[in-house]
Amino acid sequence: MAAPRWDLGPAREPLGLIRALQGFFSVFAFATLGGFRGSVGFHLSCAGSPNASVSAPFAYPFRSPLPSPRAVGQESPPAPPRPTELPQALGLGPWGAPRGPFGRPRMNLATFTPSLTTLCNRTWAADVHLVGDFSSSAQFFVVVAVFSFLYSLGALLLYLGYLHLYRGAGGRLPLADFLATAAFSFLWLVASSAWAKALADIKASVAAPLPHCHPPAVTCSRGTATAMGTLNVSVVFGFLNLILWLGSSWFVFKETNLHPPPAPSTPSTM
């Protein structure tokens, strides 16, 4: 294998500079989404019983197996526990809500606590939980961001250390680079659009009222809810990455044999 010839010159050109920006903004794209944690709460005023407040946590990847993707606070009978799902394995969080992998509250497991079955003269026959399955869009967005970061980092190292091989491989490496860049541009378009739609559904889901709230017997008012500004930022970073990858496609295309070289300038005759 040829020894690298390290040169920071390509980093000051659009070819390398945009790759560095792609890696930088890809990190922000998956960090603002993958690290999100939030909760939603309600205040209950119950006739003949003490008032109470309940809350339910939710976090990435916003998964639920229930069929309704938009409702929140839906009441349903609890699913029978699997033999392998011991209480210790669920990892109860500070709200008493079962948690998914890496300790993240999942929407289908995030019940409102304290349990609504013990409040307001047992108005609710079963626990009420957040519902909605938005995991496919969220996880696809994160996967595209992670692989975009890895590819942009590898491409930048190739430009800085092996540019002589990149441009001297008969056009094969630039062509492969161009095809990969075009593919990532398409993936960012799909992932950002899908995640933007899923985020709108998540907001509608969290904003839905609790069931069985019938004043004056039971009055439910919305309490605190985590702001989703970071999720909005993740959508912005997604479309910003789309612009960066589309822009870099042109500069990579200029390195391929498909782009005709500029015509040599002819000296003017006097």
Side-chain angles (χ1 to χ4, degrees), residues 239-253:
F239 285 104
L240 180 58
N241 275 284
L242 170 62
I243 296 174
L244 288 174
W245 284 87
L246 286 175
S248 66
S249 299
W250 167 247
F251 295 103
V252 177
F253 176 75

Side-chain angles (χ1 to χ4, degrees), residues 10-51:
R12 295 189 292 267
E13 300 175 1
L15 184 67
L17 179 61
I18 295 181
R19 286 293 187 222
L21 292 175
Q22 288 170 348
F24 179 79
F25 286 109
S26 294
V27 171
F28 280 94
F30 66 75
T32 51
L33 172 55
F36 179 81
R37 293 171 180 268
S39 64
V40 58
F42 288 90
H43 300 299
L44 309 179
S45 298
C46 314
S49 61
N51 298 339

Side-chain angles (χ1 to χ4, degrees), residues 87-101:
Q88 295 84 355
L90 291 176
L92 297 180
W95 299 281
R99 292 174 173 257

Side-chain angles (χ1 to χ4, degrees), residues 22-197:
Q22 288 170 348
F24 179 79
F25 286 109
S26 294
V27 171
F28 280 94
F30 66 75
T32 51
L33 172 55
F36 179 81
R37 293 171 180 268
S39 64
V40 58
F42 288 90
H43 300 299
L44 309 179
S45 298
C46 314
S49 61
N51 298 339
S53 297
V54 295
S55 64
F58 61 97
Y60 172 84
F62 315 103
R63 176 186 294 115
S64 171
L66 297 177
S68 174
R70 298 176 183 272
V72 77
Q74 188 176 47
E75 184 178 8
S76 63
R82 297 179 182 177
T84 58
E85 291 181 344
L86 300 178
Q88 295 84 355
L90 291 176
L92 297 180
W95 299 281
R99 292 174 173 257
F102 308 105
R104 299 184 181 279
R106 299 189 307 182
M107 296 192 81
N108 62 304
L109 298 179
T111 58
F112 281 90
T113 54
S115 175
L116 288 170
T117 59
T118 62
L119 303 175
C120 295
N121 301 317
R122 301 186 181 274
T123 300
W124 292 271
D127 282 327
V128 178
H129 49 77
L130 302 177
V131 298
D133 190 349
F134 313 100
S135 60
S136 58
S137 299
Q139 290 175 324
F140 180 61
F141 184 88
V142 169
V143 168
V144 171
V146 170
F147 278 96
S148 295
F149 168 75
L150 295 176
Y151 183 84
S152 58
L153 180 62
L156 182 59
L157 293 177
L158 177 64
Y159 301 157
L160 298 180
Y162 298 93
L163 190 62
H164 58 290
L165 294 180
Y166 180 82
R167 289 176 173 170
R172 293 189 299 271
L173 285 179
L175 180 60
D177 192 17
F178 170 71
L179 294 177
T181 303
F184 272 109
S185 300
F186 175 75
L187 290 176
W188 273 115
L189 173 63
V190 175
S192 300
S193 301
W195 170 233
K197 175 61 169 62

